[in-house]
Amino acid sequence: MLYNKKNKWIYTVLVRTVFIVIILCIWEYIAKQNIFGNQSELIFPSLETIGEAFIRNFLKGYAGLSLWIYIGNSMKLLIQGLVIGIFLSFLLSGLSMISKNFYYIYTLVVSICDLLPGVALLPIIIIIFGIKPEVIVLLVVHAVLWPMSRSILDGFLAVPKIYVEAGMNIGLKGLTLLWGVYLPAAMSYILSGLKVGWARAWRGLISAEMIFGIATCPGIGLFINQMRTNMNNAEMYATLIVIIIIGLVVQYGILVPIENYTIKKWGMSK
């Protein structure tokens, strides 16, 4: 079994590595062909140029601010929004399983709010609260709360009735039943909702920062917009790579280990 898992891991890494190398080769080929004439270097800068810009972003940045500052500001707002959004999703979803009336109301609210893009709400939020970092935190909460609540509720409803009855037979009820039965049994749904919520929050954060930059708390989205305004396309592409790297680190450094030590370890997933 261990041997098969090791071979599968090596094969997965090999296939993905080959895919990335092919994409990079295609990019470099297009960059060298000057397909777009004088604008080719702007649209398809070479890998060497992007690599130099990648280093330059961290060493010099923009207007005296290193890209590290922008990343730190973005991650601070993101973590604040994620913590609040995850807490509220568990709290409100849990209350929905305790109170039928609250369940009927909250499922309607989730169905409505989950359809509203955070960017569409941005003008209204700015009018009410003004341009400040808390607005981005609110958008992150919006991006996390509804999809994660939907997944948690779906997970709670998918819990086999025999599990609930077994918990009630040993004296569990209310919060103890929720904590002892519903949450462990719905863990696969919860983790799926966390993945979706994280992805939406990350995209929403970058989008909000690109639409309106906050001078007191400049983030990655603002940095990309500044590079676009100054036609520093290589630096812009390099920043997109940073965004991808951060996403992969969260995915494989945090979410995948959580999955391995919970639902896979418990035999709830392959």
Side-chain angles (χ1 to χ4, degrees):
M1 180 62 70
L2 292 176
Y3 180 76
N4 291 335
K5 286 184 177 180
K6 182 178 180 180
N7 284 347
K8 181 180 179 181
W9 181 84
I10 294 175
Y11 180 77
T12 302
V13 173
L14 180 62
V15 169
R16 291 175 176 175
T17 302
V18 171
F19 172 75
I20 293 174
V21 170
I22 292 175
I23 294 298
L24 294 178
C25 290
I26 293 175
W27 180 284
E28 187 68 9
Y29 175 78
I30 296 176
K32 297 297 184 182
Q33 294 303 308
N34 292 323
I35 296 176
F36 299 96
N38 295 331
Q39 294 184 340
S40 292
E41 184 62 24
L42 288 175
I43 299 175
F44 278 97
S46 66
L47 296 179
E48 181 182 358
T49 302
I50 295 176
E52 293 173 351
F54 186 92
I55 298 174
R56 191 160 53 248
N57 285 346
F58 288 100
L59 294 180
K60 296 183 179 180
Y62 179 79
L65 291 178
S66 168
L67 183 57
W68 287 115
I69 304 298
Y70 291 86
I71 293 174
N73 290 332
S74 292
M75 296 307 296
K76 180 180 66 176
L77 299 178
L78 179 69
I79 292 173
Q80 291 175 1
L82 282 173
V83 170
I84 297 172
I86 293 172
F87 173 77
L88 289 177
S89 63
F90 277 107
L91 176 63
L92 298 175
S93 299
L95 291 175
S96 298
M97 300 309 297
I98 296 175
S99 170
K100 288 186 178 181
N101 292 333
F102 188 83
Y103 171 81
Y104 295 142
I105 295 173
Y106 188 59
T107 50
L108 175 63
V109 173
V110 170
S111 299
I112 295 173
C113 294
D114 197 26
L115 299 174
L116 293 173
V119 176
L121 297 174
L122 192 56
I124 300 174
I125 297 175
I126 291 177
I127 291 174
I128 297 174
F129 299 101
I131 298 179
K132 56 183 67 176
E134 289 75 13
V135 170
I136 296 181
V137 174
L138 185 58
L139 287 176
V140 173
V141 172
H142 171 80
V144 175
L145 178 56
W146 313 120
M148 190 162 182
S149 293
R150 187 185 293 275
S151 294
I152 293 175
L153 290 172
D154 289 343
F156 286 166
L157 294 176
V159 174
K161 192 174 181 180
I162 189 172
Y163 291 0
V164 180
E165 293 175 348
M168 296 175 66
N169 287 336
I170 62 174
L172 300 180
K173 59 181 180 179
L175 291 177
T176 55
L177 183 64
L178 184 67
W179 181 262
V181 176
Y182 280 104
L183 285 177
M187 183 57 69
S188 59
Y189 288 85
I190 294 172
L191 188 58
S192 176
L194 183 61
K195 290 179 179 179
V196 174
W198 144 253
R200 285 196 182 185
W202 188 226
R203 294 197 302 267
L205 172 82
I206 302 299
S207 300
E209 290 178 339
M210 290 184 67
I211 293 174
F212 74 98
I214 302 176
T216 58
C217 189
I220 303 176
L222 177 60
F223 188 85
I224 293 177
N225 209 26
Q226 290 169 334
M227 296 302 102
R228 178 193 63 81
T229 303
N230 291 277
M231 298 297 290
N232 295 333
N233 286 16
E235 283 78 0
M236 184 174 64
Y237 283 123
T239 309
L240 294 179
I241 295 175
V242 172
I243 293 175
I244 294 173
I245 292 174
I246 293 174
L248 292 176
V249 169
V250 173
Q251 175 72 21
Y252 293 101
I254 298 177
L255 297 178
V256 170
I258 291 176
E259 183 179 14
N260 291 335
Y261 284 100
T262 53
I263 60 176
K264 287 189 176 181
K265 186 176 182 179
W266 301 339
M268 300 171 67
S269 176
K270 293 182 180 181

